[in-house]
């Protein structure tokens, strides 16, 4: 029989129905090609020949894995387009889908707009704002050549000791609302779009990923990748709820959680992955594993890897974020299929889902990056949006030792003001983890405005701004006549398990600095943290005003906007602020918090 010409295949026809294209393409694929689609590898082990030899279906960059030092969007686009070119040289010319952790803007990329981390966005309760952030992020991701953002994280952080608390928008109701990020990233599906069926609108949009399914934020003592011990009903009402919102918006992908539910690992949980997510809730997109998660099914990790591949794929994982040892993965998966331990129907289902998303995302028609979008990266409009998000996310915790005498807004025309603290002039610190590198970093890691920069821009020309990261005794001695001080302290950046903390203390003796300044000068304290942290009541009493700024990102101007009174405070706590660590876990419902869930003062109105 003569080979059908590639151009004549149904799957190549952009006007053919997606499901027909999926079936047509699947019917042409060899086992090796199917296995390739299921395999997602890290860019560090990727080369054109690896893509063509193994028919690799997807590539990702892990946190802080740029194509080169200081890489900007165009460098990323060059790398990804290079991989794509190789994929299009394979027999069936199936494009790769490239995924990246764009979790607060396209945060791995130098020059991108970095938005506040989710906890700050949760404090805004502004779903439309988050949708617009999703749309801006999608454009910046596409400009870098990637097609898939591993966001939103829809975790419900139940305990601030969890190192990923800042990736959570807060309580269930808030997280459900903030799933509007999905529509921002992917576009709005038309009316009548079937629930659970993936959707990506056009070339300026990317596939989203609801993660980490399910219960990642509910682990015991906030232990990352730990065990969530809750009843079936609690799992549904607390942790599963936001997935319904995501599915209604046509979220294209879902990532499984490293964590366990009542002792059973999510990655092998057939009931939750297949029966609930796929069968009951109707999810038709890609269920991707987390990074090296198949190794972590066993303790110690990597024990009997073949068994882990079998159990997770049979439980419903469609694509495996391997991400490094792909040869071993491919050989184990091949042997499991050949022996019948993984049925062919399961493999076909997984591949269909992967192809479906690729067709819907327009990858066959537009496999390469759109360089016309490069101008949009870090553009004024996106930075303005970041600034808006920052000012709406700030939570005013205290304003005036004497409640009758409000301290904020601050005067722009004070003669002399003091700015101090580890976080006052540190762009990297205010961006937090998942910024340029996986952990985040100290200093000018990208383009942006620090709190100090913003203050300097905001005060009048006659105001002298004195900045000392650690104020000397001389500075605090009293003859300086500072009108007021602004002290910005907080957490050093961290990511994932490295952020787990049982004491929740802020580093560098932050509270000591705050206290010593506040004893001498009327002080505004700004907390730059990914979560509620331990605050001594005596410190709180000494400051005139206290603001929770979360991890605001690159647009420090948003802080000055509110502190100097151009805008009022709007943010409300998305989780309770505990008094002492022994009260934990504390989320929305327990008694006697330092500041309750939903708390946040206004400056002008109340
Ligand atoms: C992270 C990756 C990161 C890697 C570093 C993983 O757990 O998710 O994004 O690059 O660790 O080894
Ligand atoms: C994290 C995910 C992330 C992935 C890829 C994992 O360690 O848990 O949230 O998307 O790495 O970097």
């Amino acid at each position: 029989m003569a080979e059908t010409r590639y151009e004549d295949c149904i799957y190549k026809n952009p006007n053919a129905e997606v499901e027909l294209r999926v079936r047509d393409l699947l019917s042409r694929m060899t086992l090796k090609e199917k296995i390739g689609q299921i395999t997602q590898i890290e860019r560090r082990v990727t080369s054109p020949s690896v893509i063509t030899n193994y028919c690799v279906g997807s590539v990702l960059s892990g946190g802080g894995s740029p194509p080169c030092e200081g890489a900007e969007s165009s460098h990323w686009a060059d790398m990804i387009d290079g991989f794509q070119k190789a994929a299009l040289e394979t027999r069936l010319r199936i494009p790769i889908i490239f995924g990246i952790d764009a979790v607060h803007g396209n945060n791995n990329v130098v020059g991108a707009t970095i938005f506040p981390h989710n906890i700050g966005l949760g404090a805004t309760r502004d779903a439309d704002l988050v949708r617009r952030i999703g749309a801006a992020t999608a454009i910046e991701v596409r400009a870098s050549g990637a097609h898939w953002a591993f966001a939103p994280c829809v975790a419900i952080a139940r305990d601030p000791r969890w190192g990923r608390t800042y990736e959570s928008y807060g309580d269930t109701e808030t997280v459900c609302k903030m799933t509007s990020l999905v529509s921002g990233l992917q576009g709005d599906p038309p009316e009548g779009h079937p629930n659970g069926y993936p959707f990506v609108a056009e070339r300026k949009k990317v596939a989203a990923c609801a993660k980490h399914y399910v219960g990642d934020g509910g682990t015991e003592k906030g232990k990352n990748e730990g065990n969530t011990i809750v009843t079936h009903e609690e799992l549904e009402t607390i942790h599963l709820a936001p997935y319904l919102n995501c599915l209604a918006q046509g979220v294209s992908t879902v990532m499984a959680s490293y964590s366990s539910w009542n002792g059973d690992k999510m990655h092998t949980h057939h009931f939750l992955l297949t029966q609930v997510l796929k069968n009951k809730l109707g999810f038709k997109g890609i269920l991707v594993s987390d990074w090296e998660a198949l190794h972590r099914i066993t303790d110690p990790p990597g024990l009997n890897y073949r068994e882990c591949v079998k159990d997770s794929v049979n439980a419903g994982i469609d694509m495996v974020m391997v991400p490094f040892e792909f040869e071993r993965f491919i050989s184990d998966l091949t042997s499991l299929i050949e022996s019948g331990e993984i049925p062919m129907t399961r493999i076909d289902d997984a591949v269909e889902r992967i192809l479906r998303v690729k067709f819907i995302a327009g990858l066959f028609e537009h496999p390469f990056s759109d360089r016309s979008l490069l101008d949009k990266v870090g553009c004024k409009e996106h930075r303005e949006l970041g600034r808006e998000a920052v000012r709406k996310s700030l939570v005013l915790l205290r304003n005036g030792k004497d409640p009758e005498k409000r301290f904020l807004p601050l005067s722009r025309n004070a003669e002399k003001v003091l700015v101090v603290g580890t976080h006052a002039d540190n762009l990297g610190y205010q961006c937090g983890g998942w910024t340029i590198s996986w952990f985040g970093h100290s200093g000018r890691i990208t383009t942006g405005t620090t709190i100090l920069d913003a203050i300097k821009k905001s005060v009048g020309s006659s105001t002298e701004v004195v900045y000392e990261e650690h104020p000397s005794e001389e500075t605090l001695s009293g003859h300086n006549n500072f009108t007021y001080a602004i002290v910005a302290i907080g957490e050093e950046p961290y990511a994932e398990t490295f952020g787990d903390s049982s004491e929740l203390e802020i580093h560098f003796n932050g509270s000591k600095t705050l206290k010593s300044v506040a004893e001498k000068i009327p002080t505004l304290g700004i907390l730059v943290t990914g979560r509620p942290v331990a605050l001594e009541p005596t410190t709180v009493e000494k400051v005139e005003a206290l603001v929770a700024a979360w991890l605001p990102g690159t647009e420090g101007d948003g802080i000055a906007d509110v502190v100097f009174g151009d805008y009022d405070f709007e943010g409300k706590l998305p989780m309770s602020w505990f008094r002492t660590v022994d009260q934990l876990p504390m989320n929305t419902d327990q008694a006697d918090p330092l500041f309750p869930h939903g708390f946040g003062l206004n400056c002008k109105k109340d």
Side-chain angles (χ1 to χ4, degrees):
M1 204 177 78
E3 271 277 310
T4 329
R5 282 197 325 153
Y6 169 74
E7 287 72 18
D8 297 337
C9 300
I10 296 175
Y11 81 88
K12 267 310 286 175
N13 178 0
N15 303 316
E17 229 189 275
V18 166
E19 291 306 307
L20 289 179
R21 298 178 80 183
V22 168
R23 259 172 278 143
D24 177 58
L25 178 49
L26 186 74
S27 73
R28 299 172 192 277
M29 292 170 77
T30 62
L31 179 60
K32 180 183 168 189
E33 286 163 340
K34 290 178 183 178
I35 289 172
Q37 287 303 306
I38 293 173
T39 308
Q40 185 184 53
I41 62 176
E42 219 277 340
R43 65 108 215 138
R44 278 166 276 190
V45 295
T46 307
S47 65
S49 62
V50 165
I51 292 185
T52 48
N53 291 344
Y54 295 90
C55 309
V56 168
S58 182
V59 181
L60 87 152
S61 267
S65 177
C68 58
E69 187 71 18
E72 295 181 14
S73 298
S74 60
H75 301 110
W76 284 82
D78 290 343
M79 169 184 73
I80 298 170
D81 284 351
F83 295 153
Q84 192 65 292
K85 197 166 156 279
L88 298 181
E89 280 160 12
T90 56
R91 188 179 73 95
L92 295 165
R93 307 182 204 178
I94 306 175
I96 54 158
I97 182 165
F98 193 100
I100 193 163
D101 289 288
V103 298
H104 61 146
N106 195 19
N107 43 253
N108 283 292
V109 178
V110 173
T113 315
I114 307 296
F115 296 97
H117 268 298
N118 289 353
I119 185 105
L121 297 180
T124 73
R125 306 293 200 282
D126 188 339
D128 180 61
L129 170 75
V130 170
R131 192 189 50 74
R132 288 182 285 133
I133 289 176
T137 302
I139 290 172
E140 297 205 10
V141 170
R142 275 281 180 167
S144 74
H147 324 101
W148 182 8
F150 300 134
C153 174
V154 294
I156 318 296
R158 300 284 287 173
D159 189 323
R161 287 174 289 190
W162 187 35
R164 306 190 79 162
T165 300
Y166 67 82
E167 295 189 60
S168 166
Y169 298 104
D171 62 283
T172 302
E173 197 191 325
T174 304
V175 176
C176 286
K177 224 172 148 176
M178 300 300 140
T179 59
S180 57
L181 191 86
V182 172
S183 296
L185 290 169
Q186 302 190 343
D188 273 310
E191 207 155 313
H193 182 83
N195 220 41
Y197 194 81
F199 180 79
V200 183
E202 28 112 0
R203 289 182 70 193
K204 292 193 186 106
K205 299 293 179 188
V206 294
C209 181
K211 70 187 191 183
H212 309 81
Y213 182 84
V214 56
D216 51 348
T219 58
E220 213 185 358
K221 299 197 171 111
K223 189 174 175 299
N224 192 41
E225 306 183 13
N227 187 18
T228 297
I229 307 170
V230 288
T231 64
H232 195 167
E233 198 196 327
E234 287 165 331
L235 188 76
E236 280 194 11
T237 54
I238 299 171
H239 299 285
L240 188 70
Y243 287 90
L244 275 62
N245 297 259
C246 293
L247 292 171
Q249 294 170 76
V251 72
S252 297
T253 75
V254 171
M255 190 185 293
S257 178
Y258 288 123
S259 58
S260 304
W261 177 41
N262 296 334
D264 294 326
K265 291 274 183 187
M266 280 308 309
H267 274 81
T268 54
H269 214 295
H270 186 268
F271 172 68
L272 289 173
L273 301 184
T274 294
Q275 286 173 250
V276 174
L277 180 65
K278 294 182 174 177
N279 299 350
K280 185 165 163 227
L281 304 178
F283 178 57
K284 297 283 188 294
I286 305 169
L287 177 57
V288 63
S289 82
D290 204 339
W291 173 282
E292 229 168 36
L294 272 51
H295 285 88
R296 301 188 202 170
I297 289 168
T298 51
D299 185 17
L303 206 67
N304 206 346
Y305 186 65
R306 187 177 182 277
E307 203 67 12
C308 295
V309 173
K310 181 183 96 188
D311 291 347
S312 51
V313 173
N314 278 337
I317 296 290
D318 301 313
M319 182 186 279
V320 174
M321 193 186 288
V322 177
F324 299 123
E325 293 175 53
F326 57 88
E327 281 169 316
R328 178 172 168 204
F329 169 72
I330 288 172
S331 98
D332 282 346
L333 183 57
T334 309
S335 98
L336 286 160
I337 300 165
E338 281 168 355
S339 70
E341 288 163 274
I342 297 180
M344 204 54 209
T345 48
R346 176 70 271 274
I347 295 303
D348 285 348
D349 171 55
V351 177
E352 273 179 20
R353 289 164 178 273
I354 294 162
L355 298 177
R356 179 176 297 130
V357 171
K358 289 185 175 186
F359 282 120
I360 287 169
L363 292 179
F364 285 79
E365 285 69 56
H366 304 289
F368 294 108
S369 67
D370 175 354
R371 307 277 166 142
S372 75
L373 297 176
L374 285 172
D375 284 351
K376 290 282 190 181
V377 177
C379 66
K380 188 154 183 292
E381 189 191 337
H382 291 177
R383 292 191 185 277
E384 281 299 319
L385 178 60
R387 181 174 181 166
E388 176 189 345
V390 173
R391 63 178 177 250
K392 288 180 168 170
S393 69
L394 304 179
V395 180
L396 181 58
L397 298 172
R398 174 178 168 91
N399 192 16
K401 283 183 185 164
D402 173 355
E404 299 300 308
K405 280 198 355 227
R406 284 176 212 152
F407 185 67
L408 297 182
L410 298 175
S411 157
R412 294 172 186 281
N413 298 312
E415 220 165 277
K416 197 172 175 187
V417 306
L418 177 65
V419 180
V420 303
T422 45
H423 289 60
D425 191 29
N426 196 318
L427 192 64
Y429 279 8
Q430 77 189 40
C431 289
W434 296 107
T435 316
I436 312 304
S437 58
W438 181 34
F439 275 29
H441 257 303
S442 176
R444 294 268 165 193
I445 55 173
T446 186
T447 314
T449 306
T450 66
I451 298 174
L452 177 67
D453 297 335
I455 294 169
K456 283 186 175 164
K457 282 200 258 172
S458 294
V459 293
S461 54
S462 60
T463 304
E464 185 191 346
V465 178
V466 176
Y467 166 66
E468 279 175 34
E469 183 175 331
H470 304 284
S472 66
E473 280 188 23
E474 159 67 16
T475 302
L476 297 180
S477 64
H479 54 259
N480 269 302
N481 296 324
F482 291 112
T483 314
Y484 53 78
I486 300 176
V487 180
I489 55 168
E491 294 183 300
E492 282 179 79
Y494 51 80
E496 299 189 51
T497 308
F498 298 88
D500 282 2
S501 165
S502 51
E503 300 306 320
L504 290 170
E505 274 164 358
I506 38 191
H507 301 261
F508 289 131
N509 297 322
S511 356
K512 233 167 83 193
T513 310
L514 182 59
K515 202 156 143 188
S516 63
V517 177
E519 273 165 358
K520 303 278 170 52
I521 306 167
T523 292
L524 159 66
I526 299 179
L527 301 170
V528 180
T529 66
R531 51 188 159 189
V533 288
L535 290 176
E536 279 174 50
T538 53
T539 309
V540 177
E541 281 157 23
K542 288 204 166 68
V543 296
E544 285 284 352
L546 192 62
V547 170
W550 315 110
L551 298 170
T554 47
E555 305 315 305
D557 286 321
I559 295 178
D561 285 343
V562 180
V563 162
F564 292 104
D566 288 343
Y567 292 84
D568 200 356
F569 285 88
E570 289 180 40
K572 305 281 177 223
L573 289 180
M575 65 194 296
S576 306
W577 201 295
F578 62 93
R579 200 178 281 282
T580 56
V581 282
D582 47 72
Q583 284 176 305
L584 297 174
M586 167 172 279
N587 26 75
T588 52
D589 14 47
Q590 289 87 343
D592 196 32
L594 183 59
F595 303 106
H597 172 254
F599 182 77
L601 300 170
N602 296 106
C603 215
K604 293 177 180 161
K605 283 174 277 178
D606 32 69

